[in-house]
Amino acid sequence: MSAITPEMVREHGLSTDEYARALAILGREPNLTELGIFSAMWSEHCSYKSSKRWLRTLPTEAAWVICGPGENAGVVDIGDGLACIFKMESHNHPSFIEPFQGAATGVGGILRDVFTMGARPVASLNALRFGAPAHPKTRHLVAGVVAGIGAYGNCVGVPTLGGECAFHAAYDGNILVNAMTVGVADSARIFYSAASGVGLSVVYVGSKTGRDGIHGATMASAEFASDSEAKRPTVQVGDPFTEKLLLEACLELMATDAIVAIQDMGAAGLTCSTFEMASKGGVGIELDLDRVPMREDGMSAYELMLSESQERMLMVLRPGGEADAQRVFDKWELDFAVIGRTTDTGRLVLTQNGIPIAELPVDPLAEEAPEYDRPWTRKPSAVAIAPEAVPAPNDPARALERLLGCPDLASKRWIWEQYDQTVMADTVAGPGGDAAVVRVHGTAKALAITSDCTPRYCVADAREGARQAVAEAWRNLTAVGARPLAITDNLNLGNPERPEIMGQLVGCVEGIRDACLALDFPVVSGNVSLYNETDGAAIPPTPTIGAVGLLDDAAGACTLAFKAAGESVVLIGATAGHLGASLYLREIAGIEDGAPPPVDLAAERRNGDFVRAEIAAGRISACHDVSDGGLLVALAEMALAGDLGADIAVPEDAPPAHAWLFGEDQGRYLVTTGDAEVVLAGAGAAGVPAATIGITGGERLTVDGRHAISISCLRAAHESWMPRYMSAP
Amino acid sequence: MRAAVIVFPGSNCDRDVQVALARAAGTPPVMVWHKETSFPSVDLIVLPGGFSYGDYLRCGAMAAHSPVVGEVAARARKGVPILGICNGFQVLTETGLLPGVLMRNAQLRFVCRTQHLRVETTRTVFTGLYRPGEVIAMPIAHMDGNYFADDDTLKALCDDDRIAFRYCDARGDGGADANPNGSRDGIAGILNTARNVLGLMPHPERHADPLLGGVGGAALFEGLVRALAT
């Protein structure tokens, strides 16, 4: 048995204190396999050791929550005996190192998290952040990530319904790939990971185990240096065809009563899944590693336990369930093996070639992982910028054209046309709207799904930015007429060992908590990705919020497209003309500064509840939230979607015109209606600011009768940037 | 009309076409697993979209050698109508039931969008409810839909009125801008000489319900039900 040197401990990402703790738990020195297991289990990625104490403060409960954070994904009740299961997860580090496989396996992992719980995945979304378009790596990363997401999701046959894609130099060295999947299950047949019962078969199913992805979790728990490319061998390789077979086989077996517990093998593979199942079930597990289906000969216990080969599941079967499992997995031609059994020892025992080669107590590793209260400092929020201090454009119509063609607002059609958006034949609204809408198969209901975050707000003020991210997700669901149910949060940050980064994490959690409490919008699942920094430069705090809402009638979903000429355009919500940290400030004035727009959560809720009720009452023909780029951008997006113009006027009592047109005040919607009087009266009665600002019609957008631009001109600006950028040499 | 849908490992539009057929016919189709070599006598056999066997060789190449496809080919020769959608079309060219090949899209990227199509012939059991020259829309979603055939084959397809659909724009005009994948002559769907086998890249089953943004594909299923009523 090899002696463990301090270098080996360091290479495994364990601190001196952590190693001392491991020694105390074992009462002896670990062998190499055991050290590898400690390293994986106590990695930031698996243990959440820096974030746990803060994540605990998030609101996770509501009457409709069936299962909050802690399982593979969150579960909410959607009525009629059905549940919606969803989660978002990052695959940032691998996607930077090898964009196609990194992104593809990110999709594979999140799909498995959802179907592990008994749900058929019905939609995926992804939130992507790339470096500056001019950075030499960006184009290659965009092409690879998008192709990887498409290749995986398209083959499995789950529609990918867009998400977000933005660019900023702060992501040059660390891109973000956050993937979200939403599934639907029978609420009486949800599967969990707790392996209760002793003497039960532990079953392995799916792809064979190879030497890929060893130490993926450890790699994702350290910052990059400029030699990150050398880490390519830690990236896994995906096989979406096997995933599809695994999905169908699992759902087929779940229809029997063969399964006691099930857990996918994701980060840290067999190690993490075994500990998770044993720890939650309060049992021990013995594994005979010779029985693990292997891709190549001579794999060591260390490699078998730490491989992150994809498309694998671990199950605990009820006595006699093996025959059902054998029948189903034979049909789908998947590798299937009984590799161990549950015990009452509370210990994980590994044998290879008939010899015990590792023995570890389950609970101390899983439940007593190190937890840190890392020092943190709160950066003061950036100073607010008065609208008058921001230069006005000569012609707002030209400023609008530039904004619609800037990388962050330009159409992402080039991306989403590479995703199958219509497979499963339930897509009511695909990419390009406020939220995607997917019918719940076989019912009249629909789920609304969105993903949101505005990192430029978060970098100026993490707490306010996180409040805004949750509020915008809630607003996007509302804008299609859905009742917001719950969120999944994916916190992407730099190195938490630096107090200012830890302060950002604290701010993000506080902001999410504020908004979730005010909007009755609990967190049911989530993921934390730390160490997104290279050579000391961290990404902006990016708390991506994935959110799901419910429409009782899919046919009642509202879209942003103008529907008919001669309808009133009504602005809902108050406009102060906040230009700090706005896209106008960055793209037109060339300044990245200022406090983000404050989020008044009470007004947010009042305005949203009003808009949702008006949509349900059939008084609103089109609805769009006002966010990036402000009112004029929102108006242009509605015009582009409907291929119909509008004529608006800046009100007399407004802030300076450019602040009214481009300010990013929160809690606002643009709606169209043929019945403005009733809508305005209703708003007045509900205490919701509302005003008619114009009328739909024609082929141009016109402001104050003098600044005009044609829809075709706007479309050219909006649609041309991305294809042109991607086809450049 | 009694229909059967062939299910390969990796098929992912089998349920979608099952729903569309049930909606049009009033009775659900029989779902036939790829390992079957016999299945009930039916009026229509559908090869659905997806990634049969992962499409890790050429698309449809593995499926063309599956146990069930031998039986499908035998029935095709006896005149049973066969509809191959997307990956199903690829399977039909790989088995030789339809001429030509489906190559990688000219732009080398997967393409998913709602695509306009011109109905080129209504002299089939599949397209009888469309008007000749009618412009319809259906979703497309494929990586390998770039139809190619040699000059002689192409001439035969044209001369025999065996091109079922061509890609076009909203006004019905063809040309490079309206062609999503580089297909020769804008071909989106073709028939065999006996006119009982149709392969097409677009997905009629995804536009067979008004809630999903269009009903351009509904008439294909309704037309089959009418033509094959038993």
Side-chain angles (χ1 to χ4, degrees):
Chain A
M1 209 139 291
S2 62
I4 301 300
T5 64
E7 286 72 35
M8 292 163 77
V9 171
R10 201 164 47 243
E11 278 165 14
H12 280 79
L14 290 173
S15 70
T16 313
D17 286 351
E18 286 167 350
Y19 186 62
R21 194 177 181 130
L23 290 177
I25 286 172
L26 283 182
R28 61 177 167 83
E29 193 171 87
N31 60 38
L32 185 60
T33 303
E34 291 167 336
L35 179 69
I37 291 173
F38 271 105
S39 157
M41 286 301 294
W42 289 1
S43 68
E44 186 67 57
H45 192 82
C46 293
S47 71
Y48 293 86
K49 58 193 171 191
S50 300
S51 57
K52 213 188 302 179
R53 62 170 277 126
W54 295 103
L55 297 178
R56 241 180 246 126
T57 64
L58 290 171
T60 60
E61 287 174 6
W64 53 91
V65 174
I66 296 175
C67 175
E71 281 289 336
N72 285 295
V75 187
V76 294
D77 190 355
I78 56 169
D80 299 328
L82 296 173
C84 173
I85 300 186
F86 66 99
K87 189 182 182 187
M88 182 183 278
E89 201 162 74
S90 61
H91 232 217
N92 305 335
H93 294 75
S95 300
F96 183 79
I97 297 170
E98 209 298 278
F100 183 97
Q101 291 297 344
T105 53
V107 173
I110 197 65
L111 284 166
R112 274 194 305 287
D113 276 336
V114 166
F115 72 75
T116 302
M117 296 196 73
R120 177 172 288 283
V122 299
S124 291
L125 249 61
N126 51 77
L128 312 178
R129 312 273 166 201
F130 295 105
H135 188 274
K137 272 194 151 177
T138 301
R139 191 178 289 107
H140 156 76
L141 290 169
V142 173
V145 164
V146 170
I149 290 170
Y152 207 102
N154 298 348
C155 180
V156 176
V158 175
T160 302
L161 300 176
E164 300 175 87
C165 174
F167 299 84
H168 195 279
Y171 299 97
D172 280 351
N174 294 83
I175 63 168
L176 301 185
V177 174
N178 295 174
M180 174 178 179
T181 291
V182 179
V184 174
D186 179 340
S187 53
R189 296 193 68 80
I190 292 163
F191 290 80
Y192 298 97
S193 56
S196 49
V198 169
L200 303 178
S201 293
V202 176
V203 160
Y204 172 115
V205 62
S207 292
K208 292 180 167 62
T209 297
R211 290 191 168 104
D212 51 337
I214 292 172
H215 283 313
T218 313
M219 177 265 290
S221 303
E223 70 268 48
F224 281 159
S226 19
D227 65 344
S228 56
E229 312 248 315
K231 296 189 174 177
R232 195 167 290 148
T234 57
V235 179
Q236 315 89 318
V237 176
D239 174 4
F241 172 59
T242 299
E243 179 99 336
K244 168 68 171 169
L245 302 184
L246 195 57
L247 159 65
E248 297 302 334
C250 285
L251 293 182
E252 199 168 312
L253 187 58
M254 284 164 168
T256 73
D257 58 357
I259 300 173
V260 171
I262 176 168
Q263 170 75 36
D264 84 297
M265 291 187 231
L270 200 47
T271 293
C272 200
S273 52
T274 313
F275 274 98
E276 192 95 351
M277 294 181 88
S279 166
K280 284 200 177 125
V283 299
I285 287 182
E286 287 176 9
L287 295 182
D288 177 356
L289 294 180
D290 298 329
R291 297 190 185 198
V292 172
M294 280 171 249
R295 210 182 289 155
E296 46 202 317
D297 291 335
M299 288 186 68
S300 68
Y302 181 91
E303 290 168 329
L304 286 169
M305 290 308 289
L306 294 176
S307 162
E308 291 191 4
S309 289
Q310 299 289 290
E311 296 93 22
R312 302 181 301 160
M313 288 279 188
L314 203 61
M315 298 180 183
V316 172
L317 300 181
R318 70 164 168 77
E322 294 86 352
D324 276 332
Q326 186 84 54
R327 177 181 52 76
V328 170
F329 295 124
D330 281 352
K331 172 185 166 188
W332 292 98
E333 298 183 36
L334 289 165
D335 275 305
F336 162 83
V338 177
I339 62 167
R341 61 189 188 90
T342 58
T343 66
D344 60 2
T345 63
R347 300 178 81 77
L348 175 71
V349 179
L350 306 178
T351 60
Q352 197 176 30
N353 302 320
I355 304 163
I357 44 154
E359 181 171 352
L360 298 161
V362 170
D363 274 348
L365 259 88
E367 297 298 318
E368 295 166 35
E371 185 179 325
Y372 296 123
D373 182 3
R374 294 197 188 279
W376 57 280
T377 54
R378 196 188 297 276
K379 184 183 124 184
S381 177
V383 177
I385 294 180
E388 293 77 10
V390 178
N394 293 328
D395 180 352
R398 295 279 92 75
L400 170 65
E401 187 182 12
R402 277 178 60 193
L403 276 173
L404 279 182
C406 81
D408 280 5
L409 286 181
S411 166
K412 301 303 181 306
R413 187 181 305 276
W414 186 93
I415 294 178
W416 31 266
E417 283 197 342
Q418 294 185 58
Y419 303 151
D420 194 334
Q421 309 143 35
T422 45
V423 64
M424 297 186 86
D426 281 312
T427 302
V428 176
D434 287 298
V437 179
V438 177
R439 176 172 57 188
V440 179
H441 193 70
T443 75
K445 298 181 179 190
L447 296 170
I449 309 161
T450 184
S451 146
D452 292 285
C453 182
T454 313
R456 63 179 187 277
Y457 296 168
C458 301
V459 81
D461 183 335
R463 183 171 188 164
E464 201 62 45
R467 286 157 61 101
Q468 191 276 340
V470 176
E472 186 174 342
W474 189 87
R475 203 182 309 140
N476 278 329
L477 299 177
T478 297
V480 300
R483 180 164 56 85
L485 292 176
I487 68 168
T488 177
D489 61 336
N490 196 153
L491 308 181
N492 305 274
L493 296 141
N495 179 352
E497 293 157 42
R498 288 167 48 198
E500 66 273 28
I501 301 292
M502 201 55 214
Q504 293 174 343
L505 187 147
V506 172
C508 285
V509 171
E510 287 172 342
I512 292 171
R513 179 186 152 84
D514 294 344
C516 288
L517 286 173
L519 300 171
D520 216 0
F521 200 30
V523 182
V524 295
S525 57
N527 171 238
V528 180
S529 172
L530 300 175
Y531 298 96
N532 292 286
E533 62 179 75
T534 298
D535 295 334
I539 60 160
T542 311
T544 311
I545 303 299
V548 172
L550 183 65
L551 283 144
D552 290 329
D553 178 14
C558 195
T559 69
L560 59 83
F562 284 155
K563 302 298 183 305
E567 292 197 315
S568 301
V569 179
V570 175
L571 173 63
I572 308 284
T575 303
H578 192 102
L579 285 170
S582 69
L583 269 187
Y584 175 88
L585 191 67
R586 188 178 87 189
E587 299 291 331
I588 306 297
I591 301 164
E592 291 189 62
D593 195 11
V599 182
D600 176 345
L601 291 165
E604 186 76 53
R605 182 159 189 166
R606 219 164 30 240
N607 300 358
D609 288 348
F610 170 74
V611 167
R612 200 177 313 105
E614 291 299 296
I615 292 172
R619 275 190 288 274
I620 287 177
S621 50
C623 180
H624 190 20
D625 95 298
V626 180
S627 52
D628 280 338
L631 186 154
L632 198 54
V633 164
L635 189 78
E637 288 168 344
M638 298 174 85
L640 286 170
D643 205 17
L644 183 65
D647 201 335
I648 64 162
V650 180
E652 296 291 328
D653 58 349
H658 67 296
W660 188 79
L661 290 167
F662 299 109
E664 296 181 3
D665 307 278
Q666 298 294 300
R668 298 186 300 161
Y669 303 79
L670 275 180
V671 303
T672 58
T673 176
D675 209 352
E677 266 180 48
V678 178
V679 171
L680 293 179
V688 169
T692 301
I693 62 162
I695 188 163
T696 59
E699 294 171 354
R700 307 186 322 158
L701 279 189
T702 308
V703 178
D704 284 342
R706 46 202 168 91
H707 306 293
I709 186 163
S710 70
I711 304 297
S712 60
C713 218
L714 289 174
R715 193 180 305 285
H718 190 53
E719 294 290 348
S720 64
W721 180 78
M722 186 110 199
R724 200 173 58 228
Y725 172 66
M726 292 309 297
S727 64
Chain B
M1 180 187 72
R2 272 170 49 97
V5 177
I6 309 297
V7 184
F8 300 104
S11 292
N12 63 28
C13 305
D14 44 327
R15 189 190 75 178
D16 307 354
V17 81
Q18 180 184 21
V19 169
L21 284 165
R23 185 183 172 102
T27 52
V30 187
M31 307 303 280
V32 180
W33 186 236
H34 71 125
K35 287 200 169 159
E36 304 293 330
T37 48
S38 69
F39 54 91
S41 172
V42 290
D43 307 311
L44 169 74
I45 299 171
V46 181
L47 301 175
F51 291 69
S52 52
Y53 305 93
D55 278 346
Y56 285 141
L57 191 53
R58 288 186 314 281
C59 299
M62 300 273 286
H65 295 283
S66 67
V68 76
V69 164
E71 176 65 13
V72 172
R75 295 202 193 182
R77 284 191 285 271
K78 286 182 193 153
V80 175
I82 315 285
L83 170 64
I85 302 167
C86 199
N87 192 225
F89 185 10
Q90 293 161 343
V91 174
L92 290 171
T93 57
E94 285 289 336
T95 53
L97 286 170
L98 289 174
V101 290
L102 291 148
M103 305 189 301
R104 183 125 305 186
N105 295 343
Q107 73 278 22
L108 306 180
R109 293 191 301 273
F110 190 94
V111 60
C112 177
R113 62 170 76 137
T114 301
Q115 172 69 44
H116 287 101
L117 305 171
R118 198 170 58 228
V119 180
E120 302 290 9
T121 180
T122 56
R123 291 195 306 119
T124 77
V125 292
F126 308 96
T127 56
L129 279 193
Y130 294 109
R131 284 178 284 103
E134 184 176 348
V135 175
I136 58 173
M138 289 182 201
I140 54 167
H142 57 252
M143 181 66 122
D144 301 83
N146 181 356
Y147 183 78
F148 178 83
D150 60 32
D151 293 344
D152 292 345
T153 307
L154 197 63
K155 182 170 186 314
L157 286 172
C158 290
D159 291 350
D160 299 347
D161 189 27
R162 284 159 54 202
I163 296 171
F165 301 100
R166 277 196 178 89
Y167 301 114
C168 66
D169 63 19
R171 291 175 316 235
D173 296 333
D177 287 350
N179 187 333
N181 53 30
S183 279
R184 207 164 173 203
D185 205 16
I187 285 174
I190 56 167
L191 296 150
N192 64 342
T193 47
R195 311 185 78 74
N196 67 316
V197 178
L198 169 68
L200 78 168
M201 288 313 296
H203 288 275
E205 77 279 13
R206 299 188 191 180
H207 259 191
D209 179 341
L211 188 65
L212 306 182
V215 289
L220 188 143
F221 297 105
E222 287 158 15
L224 280 164
V225 170
R226 197 170 300 184
L228 304 176
T230 43

